[in-house]
Amino acid sequence: MDDFAHSELAPHWSTLRRPATPDWLSLTERPSHLRVRGGRSPQSVIGPSLVARRVTAARCSFEATMEYRPRGFQHLAGITACYNTRNWYYLYVTADDDGSAVVRRAARDRGRTTVDTTHQTALGDLARLHLGLDLDGPALRFRLDTGDGWQSFGPALDATVLSDEHAEEFDGDQIRSLGFTGAFVGLWVWDLNGHGHHSDFDRATYLTT
């Protein structure tokens, strides 16, 4: 469990193609919180705001406590289970068309992105919530706690999308993508306006079973 009480990011965390510098990450602006300023979308090869740790077991869970107030549909913050920019799952808070905050989930499988609007939760004025995911071999399940205890969020997803084998892609006899890094779970914040709208995390927990 990391309660972000130190002034430097713990060594088990990794960032994606971006050093952990104060222009987008801070452990001091709000003590005992990790402040993550929103970065570019996963379609961009530069500037993502992703802080993640490696998955070390076929059965594990990841939870985070987050405080976030999106100002528009281009602001997103939440937790992810990811392999690379072409293969990931994302449970996140964003703003609906009328500006109200909602929780949704999205997926990207070999470059094809889908957003599940069937399963979503309206938050009203609530800004602080708990997000969780469970990896159970070939299945991934998201869950959500808005103050009344954990509730499952949508049906199980195909966790093999996050495997080395699935990440390997070929175009004829040409290699398009190789799978060798393994999967990660972590915290992901987007600001597609480019203004760095931030989210605060005050706890993140990784458990293996």
PDB file of all heavy atoms in Angstrom, residues 31-58:
ATOM      1  N   PRO A  31       0.082  17.514   0.440  1.00  0.00           N
ATOM      2  CA  PRO A  31       0.756  16.471   1.233  1.00  0.00           C
ATOM      3  C   PRO A  31      -0.077  15.198   1.366  1.00  0.00           C
ATOM      4  O   PRO A  31      -1.310  15.255   1.473  1.00  0.00           O
ATOM      5  CB  PRO A  31       0.971  17.151   2.590  1.00  0.00           C
ATOM      6  CG  PRO A  31       1.070  18.597   2.256  1.00  0.00           C
ATOM      7  CD  PRO A  31       0.086  18.814   1.131  1.00  0.00           C
ATOM      8  N   SER A  32       0.619  14.053   1.322  1.00  0.00           N
ATOM      9  CA  SER A  32       0.009  12.722   1.401  1.00  0.00           C
ATOM     10  C   SER A  32      -0.903  12.419   0.222  1.00  0.00           C
ATOM     11  O   SER A  32      -1.809  11.585   0.332  1.00  0.00           O
ATOM     12  CB  SER A  32      -0.742  12.534   2.725  1.00  0.00           C
ATOM     13  OG  SER A  32       0.151  12.620   3.813  1.00  0.00           O
ATOM     14  N   HIS A  33      -0.683  13.089  -0.876  1.00  0.00           N
ATOM     15  CA  HIS A  33      -1.402  12.821  -2.123  1.00  0.00           C
ATOM     16  C   HIS A  33      -0.409  12.827  -3.285  1.00  0.00           C
ATOM     17  O   HIS A  33       0.570  13.578  -3.268  1.00  0.00           O
ATOM     18  CB  HIS A  33      -2.468  13.890  -2.402  1.00  0.00           C
ATOM     19  CG  HIS A  33      -3.636  13.846  -1.477  1.00  0.00           C
ATOM     20  ND1 HIS A  33      -3.571  14.307  -0.180  1.00  0.00           N
ATOM     21  CD2 HIS A  33      -4.911  13.401  -1.654  1.00  0.00           C
ATOM     22  CE1 HIS A  33      -4.751  14.152   0.405  1.00  0.00           C
ATOM     23  NE2 HIS A  33      -5.586  13.612  -0.470  1.00  0.00           N
ATOM     24  N   LEU A  34      -0.703  12.008  -4.270  1.00  0.00           N
ATOM     25  CA  LEU A  34       0.007  12.084  -5.539  1.00  0.00           C
ATOM     26  C   LEU A  34      -0.865  12.879  -6.504  1.00  0.00           C
ATOM     27  O   LEU A  34      -1.972  12.456  -6.851  1.00  0.00           O
ATOM     28  CB  LEU A  34       0.272  10.689  -6.108  1.00  0.00           C
ATOM     29  CG  LEU A  34       0.919  10.661  -7.487  1.00  0.00           C
ATOM     30  CD1 LEU A  34       2.317  11.274  -7.457  1.00  0.00           C
ATOM     31  CD2 LEU A  34       0.969   9.237  -8.049  1.00  0.00           C
ATOM     32  N   ARG A  35      -0.386  14.029  -6.897  1.00  0.00           N
ATOM     33  CA  ARG A  35      -1.103  14.863  -7.868  1.00  0.00           C
ATOM     34  C   ARG A  35      -0.566  14.564  -9.254  1.00  0.00           C
ATOM     35  O   ARG A  35       0.631  14.676  -9.505  1.00  0.00           O
ATOM     36  CB  ARG A  35      -0.953  16.336  -7.534  1.00  0.00           C
ATOM     37  CG  ARG A  35      -1.588  17.278  -8.557  1.00  0.00           C
ATOM     38  CD  ARG A  35      -1.838  18.644  -7.975  1.00  0.00           C
ATOM     39  NE  ARG A  35      -2.913  18.600  -6.963  1.00  0.00           N
ATOM     40  CZ  ARG A  35      -3.338  19.667  -6.295  1.00  0.00           C
ATOM     41  NH1 ARG A  35      -2.784  20.861  -6.511  1.00  0.00           N
ATOM     42  NH2 ARG A  35      -4.326  19.557  -5.417  1.00  0.00           N
ATOM     43  N   VAL A  36      -1.460  14.155 -10.145  1.00  0.00           N
ATOM     44  CA  VAL A  36      -1.088  13.811 -11.513  1.00  0.00           C
ATOM     45  C   VAL A  36      -1.794  14.769 -12.455  1.00  0.00           C
ATOM     46  O   VAL A  36      -3.030  14.826 -12.479  1.00  0.00           O
ATOM     47  CB  VAL A  36      -1.468  12.357 -11.850  1.00  0.00           C
ATOM     48  CG1 VAL A  36      -1.006  12.007 -13.271  1.00  0.00           C
ATOM     49  CG2 VAL A  36      -0.882  11.379 -10.842  1.00  0.00           C
ATOM     50  N   ARG A  37      -1.022  15.519 -13.206  1.00  0.00           N
ATOM     51  CA  ARG A  37      -1.605  16.435 -14.189  1.00  0.00           C
ATOM     52  C   ARG A  37      -1.886  15.674 -15.486  1.00  0.00           C
ATOM     53  O   ARG A  37      -1.067  14.904 -15.952  1.00  0.00           O
ATOM     54  CB  ARG A  37      -0.670  17.612 -14.437  1.00  0.00           C
ATOM     55  CG  ARG A  37      -0.387  18.398 -13.167  1.00  0.00           C
ATOM     56  CD  ARG A  37       0.284  19.726 -13.430  1.00  0.00           C
ATOM     57  NE  ARG A  37       0.568  20.399 -12.153  1.00  0.00           N
ATOM     58  CZ  ARG A  37      -0.324  21.071 -11.432  1.00  0.00           C
ATOM     59  NH1 ARG A  37      -1.567  21.161 -11.884  1.00  0.00           N
ATOM     60  NH2 ARG A  37      -0.002  21.635 -10.296  1.00  0.00           N
ATOM     61  N   GLY A  38      -3.055  15.921 -16.043  1.00  0.00           N
ATOM     62  CA  GLY A  38      -3.493  15.175 -17.207  1.00  0.00           C
ATOM     63  C   GLY A  38      -2.559  15.323 -18.391  1.00  0.00           C
ATOM     64  O   GLY A  38      -2.030  16.402 -18.665  1.00  0.00           O
ATOM     65  N   GLY A  39      -2.350  14.207 -19.089  1.00  0.00           N
ATOM     66  CA  GLY A  39      -1.488  14.193 -20.262  1.00  0.00           C
ATOM     67  C   GLY A  39      -2.260  13.876 -21.527  1.00  0.00           C
ATOM     68  O   GLY A  39      -3.495  13.928 -21.564  1.00  0.00           O
ATOM     69  N   ARG A  40      -1.517  13.524 -22.538  1.00  0.00           N
ATOM     70  CA  ARG A  40      -2.105  13.268 -23.852  1.00  0.00           C
ATOM     71  C   ARG A  40      -2.789  11.902 -23.899  1.00  0.00           C
ATOM     72  O   ARG A  40      -2.599  11.060 -23.033  1.00  0.00           O
ATOM     73  CB  ARG A  40      -1.021  13.356 -24.931  1.00  0.00           C
ATOM     74  CG  ARG A  40      -0.379  14.733 -25.008  1.00  0.00           C
ATOM     75  CD  ARG A  40       0.545  14.841 -26.198  1.00  0.00           C
ATOM     76  NE  ARG A  40       1.194  16.147 -26.249  1.00  0.00           N
ATOM     77  CZ  ARG A  40       1.978  16.544 -27.253  1.00  0.00           C
ATOM     78  NH1 ARG A  40       2.213  15.742 -28.275  1.00  0.00           N
ATOM     79  NH2 ARG A  40       2.522  17.751 -27.220  1.00  0.00           N
ATOM     80  N   SER A  41      -3.569  11.703 -24.942  1.00  0.00           N
ATOM     81  CA  SER A  41      -4.301  10.452 -25.112  1.00  0.00           C
ATOM     82  C   SER A  41      -3.325   9.317 -25.422  1.00  0.00           C
ATOM     83  O   SER A  41      -2.178   9.560 -25.815  1.00  0.00           O
ATOM     84  CB  SER A  41      -5.302  10.588 -26.259  1.00  0.00           C
ATOM     85  OG  SER A  41      -4.647  10.473 -27.513  1.00  0.00           O
ATOM     86  N   PRO A  42      -3.768   8.059 -25.280  1.00  0.00           N
ATOM     87  CA  PRO A  42      -2.880   6.939 -25.575  1.00  0.00           C
ATOM     88  C   PRO A  42      -2.512   6.816 -27.043  1.00  0.00           C
ATOM     89  O   PRO A  42      -1.566   6.091 -27.381  1.00  0.00           O
ATOM     90  CB  PRO A  42      -3.686   5.720 -25.101  1.00  0.00           C
ATOM     91  CG  PRO A  42      -5.099   6.171 -25.119  1.00  0.00           C
ATOM     92  CD  PRO A  42      -5.062   7.622 -24.751  1.00  0.00           C
ATOM     93  N   GLN A  43      -3.217   7.507 -27.922  1.00  0.00           N
ATOM     94  CA  GLN A  43      -2.838   7.496 -29.329  1.00  0.00           C
ATOM     95  C   GLN A  43      -1.549   8.270 -29.570  1.00  0.00           C
ATOM     96  O   GLN A  43      -0.886   8.067 -30.588  1.00  0.00           O
ATOM     97  CB  GLN A  43      -3.963   8.065 -30.193  1.00  0.00           C
ATOM     98  CG  GLN A  43      -5.123   7.104 -30.427  1.00  0.00           C
ATOM     99  CD  GLN A  43      -6.106   7.076 -29.293  1.00  0.00           C
ATOM    100  OE1 GLN A  43      -5.895   7.696 -28.263  1.00  0.00           O
ATOM    101  NE2 GLN A  43      -7.191   6.334 -29.462  1.00  0.00           N
ATOM    102  N   SER A  44      -1.188   9.142 -28.638  1.00  0.00           N
ATOM    103  CA  SER A  44       0.044   9.914 -28.771  1.00  0.00           C
ATOM    104  C   SER A  44       1.217   9.122 -28.208  1.00  0.00           C
ATOM    105  O   SER A  44       1.092   8.449 -27.190  1.00  0.00           O
ATOM    106  CB  SER A  44      -0.085  11.241 -28.008  1.00  0.00           C
ATOM    107  OG  SER A  44       1.138  11.933 -28.002  1.00  0.00           O
ATOM    108  N   VAL A  45       2.359   9.219 -28.858  1.00  0.00           N
ATOM    109  CA  VAL A  45       3.543   8.499 -28.374  1.00  0.00           C
ATOM    110  C   VAL A  45       4.358   9.351 -27.410  1.00  0.00           C
ATOM    111  O   VAL A  45       5.395   8.909 -26.915  1.00  0.00           O
ATOM    112  CB  VAL A  45       4.430   8.039 -29.551  1.00  0.00           C
ATOM    113  CG1 VAL A  45       3.692   7.035 -30.410  1.00  0.00           C
ATOM    114  CG2 VAL A  45       4.906   9.229 -30.386  1.00  0.00           C
ATOM    115  N   ILE A  46       3.915  10.570 -27.140  1.00  0.00           N
ATOM    116  CA  ILE A  46       4.619  11.427 -26.188  1.00  0.00           C
ATOM    117  C   ILE A  46       3.611  12.023 -25.195  1.00  0.00           C
ATOM    118  O   ILE A  46       2.434  12.193 -25.508  1.00  0.00           O
ATOM    119  CB  ILE A  46       5.396  12.566 -26.878  1.00  0.00           C
ATOM    120  CG1 ILE A  46       4.447  13.441 -27.705  1.00  0.00           C
ATOM    121  CG2 ILE A  46       6.518  12.021 -27.738  1.00  0.00           C
ATOM    122  CD1 ILE A  46       5.103  14.679 -28.283  1.00  0.00           C
ATOM    123  N   GLY A  47       4.081  12.300 -23.990  1.00  0.00           N
ATOM    124  CA  GLY A  47       3.303  13.052 -23.017  1.00  0.00           C
ATOM    125  C   GLY A  47       2.176  12.352 -22.311  1.00  0.00           C
ATOM    126  O   GLY A  47       1.253  13.037 -21.841  1.00  0.00           O
ATOM    127  N   PRO A  48       2.166  10.998 -22.139  1.00  0.00           N
ATOM    128  CA  PRO A  48       1.089  10.402 -21.347  1.00  0.00           C
ATOM    129  C   PRO A  48       1.329  10.606 -19.859  1.00  0.00           C
ATOM    130  O   PRO A  48       2.467  10.684 -19.410  1.00  0.00           O
ATOM    131  CB  PRO A  48       1.177   8.916 -21.709  1.00  0.00           C
ATOM    132  CG  PRO A  48       2.638   8.704 -22.002  1.00  0.00           C
ATOM    133  CD  PRO A  48       3.117   9.989 -22.640  1.00  0.00           C
ATOM    134  N   SER A  49       0.270  10.714 -19.083  1.00  0.00           N
ATOM    135  CA  SER A  49       0.373  10.843 -17.625  1.00  0.00           C
ATOM    136  C   SER A  49      -0.073   9.529 -16.988  1.00  0.00           C
ATOM    137  O   SER A  49      -1.197   9.397 -16.493  1.00  0.00           O
ATOM    138  CB  SER A  49      -0.475  12.009 -17.125  1.00  0.00           C
ATOM    139  OG  SER A  49       0.062  13.239 -17.565  1.00  0.00           O
ATOM    140  N   LEU A  50       0.814   8.561 -17.021  1.00  0.00           N
ATOM    141  CA  LEU A  50       0.547   7.212 -16.525  1.00  0.00           C
ATOM    142  C   LEU A  50       1.582   6.857 -15.467  1.00  0.00           C
ATOM    143  O   LEU A  50       2.788   6.954 -15.713  1.00  0.00           O
ATOM    144  CB  LEU A  50       0.596   6.203 -17.677  1.00  0.00           C
ATOM    145  CG  LEU A  50       0.486   4.724 -17.301  1.00  0.00           C
ATOM    146  CD1 LEU A  50      -0.877   4.416 -16.690  1.00  0.00           C
ATOM    147  CD2 LEU A  50       0.724   3.847 -18.533  1.00  0.00           C
ATOM    148  N   VAL A  51       1.107   6.457 -14.293  1.00  0.00           N
ATOM    149  CA  VAL A  51       1.955   5.986 -13.204  1.00  0.00           C
ATOM    150  C   VAL A  51       1.477   4.578 -12.867  1.00  0.00           C
ATOM    151  O   VAL A  51       0.341   4.400 -12.410  1.00  0.00           O
ATOM    152  CB  VAL A  51       1.852   6.901 -11.966  1.00  0.00           C
ATOM    153  CG1 VAL A  51       2.789   6.417 -10.864  1.00  0.00           C
ATOM    154  CG2 VAL A  51       2.165   8.339 -12.331  1.00  0.00           C
ATOM    155  N   ALA A  52       2.302   3.569 -13.093  1.00  0.00           N
ATOM    156  CA  ALA A  52       1.837   2.190 -13.002  1.00  0.00           C
ATOM    157  C   ALA A  52       2.905   1.296 -12.386  1.00  0.00           C
ATOM    158  O   ALA A  52       4.083   1.643 -12.339  1.00  0.00           O
ATOM    159  CB  ALA A  52       1.444   1.679 -14.385  1.00  0.00           C
ATOM    160  N   ARG A  53       2.467   0.125 -11.953  1.00  0.00           N
ATOM    161  CA  ARG A  53       3.387  -0.868 -11.422  1.00  0.00           C
ATOM    162  C   ARG A  53       3.130  -2.199 -12.129  1.00  0.00           C
ATOM    163  O   ARG A  53       2.035  -2.483 -12.608  1.00  0.00           O
ATOM    164  CB  ARG A  53       3.223  -1.031  -9.918  1.00  0.00           C
ATOM    165  CG  ARG A  53       1.844  -1.470  -9.457  1.00  0.00           C
ATOM    166  CD  ARG A  53       1.965  -2.140  -8.095  1.00  0.00           C
ATOM    167  NE  ARG A  53       2.808  -3.321  -8.170  1.00  0.00           N
ATOM    168  CZ  ARG A  53       3.681  -3.709  -7.240  1.00  0.00           C
ATOM    169  NH1 ARG A  53       3.819  -3.021  -6.142  1.00  0.00           N
ATOM    170  NH2 ARG A  53       4.408  -4.809  -7.404  1.00  0.00           N
ATOM    171  N   ARG A  54       4.171  -3.008 -12.172  1.00  0.00           N
ATOM    172  CA  ARG A  54       4.099  -4.256 -12.918  1.00  0.00           C
ATOM    173  C   ARG A  54       3.178  -5.266 -12.236  1.00  0.00           C
ATOM    174  O   ARG A  54       3.161  -5.382 -11.004  1.00  0.00           O
ATOM    175  CB  ARG A  54       5.504  -4.853 -13.051  1.00  0.00           C
ATOM    176  CG  ARG A  54       5.580  -6.060 -13.968  1.00  0.00           C
ATOM    177  CD  ARG A  54       7.018  -6.539 -14.093  1.00  0.00           C
ATOM    178  NE  ARG A  54       7.857  -5.511 -14.698  1.00  0.00           N
ATOM    179  CZ  ARG A  54       7.960  -5.308 -16.007  1.00  0.00           C
ATOM    180  NH1 ARG A  54       7.239  -6.045 -16.848  1.00  0.00           N
ATOM    181  NH2 ARG A  54       8.756  -4.377 -16.474  1.00  0.00           N
ATOM    182  N   VAL A  55       2.417  -6.008 -13.041  1.00  0.00           N
ATOM    183  CA  VAL A  55       1.624  -7.128 -12.544  1.00  0.00           C
ATOM    184  C   VAL A  55       2.556  -8.318 -12.341  1.00  0.00           C
ATOM    185  O   VAL A  55       3.267  -8.719 -13.260  1.00  0.00           O
ATOM    186  CB  VAL A  55       0.497  -7.486 -13.534  1.00  0.00           C
ATOM    187  CG1 VAL A  55      -0.207  -8.770 -13.123  1.00  0.00           C
ATOM    188  CG2 VAL A  55      -0.498  -6.337 -13.647  1.00  0.00           C
ATOM    189  N   THR A  56       2.548  -8.876 -11.138  1.00  0.00           N
ATOM    190  CA  THR A  56       3.498  -9.943 -10.794  1.00  0.00           C
ATOM    191  C   THR A  56       2.835 -11.281 -10.537  1.00  0.00           C
ATOM    192  O   THR A  56       3.515 -12.242 -10.188  1.00  0.00           O
ATOM    193  CB  THR A  56       4.311  -9.539  -9.554  1.00  0.00           C
ATOM    194  OG1 THR A  56       3.411  -9.301  -8.457  1.00  0.00           O
ATOM    195  CG2 THR A  56       5.137  -8.282  -9.824  1.00  0.00           C
ATOM    196  N   ALA A  57       1.509 -11.356 -10.688  1.00  0.00           N
ATOM    197  CA  ALA A  57       0.806 -12.609 -10.433  1.00  0.00           C
ATOM    198  C   ALA A  57      -0.427 -12.680 -11.318  1.00  0.00           C
ATOM    199  O   ALA A  57      -1.014 -11.653 -11.670  1.00  0.00           O
ATOM    200  CB  ALA A  57       0.402 -12.718  -8.963  1.00  0.00           C
ATOM    201  N   ALA A  58      -0.821 -13.910 -11.667  1.00  0.00           N
ATOM    202  CA  ALA A  58      -2.000 -14.099 -12.514  1.00  0.00           C
ATOM    203  C   ALA A  58      -3.283 -13.726 -11.787  1.00  0.00           C
ATOM    204  O   ALA A  58      -4.302 -13.437 -12.421  1.00  0.00           O
ATOM    205  CB  ALA A  58      -2.069 -15.544 -12.994  1.00  0.00           C
TER     206      ALA A  58
END
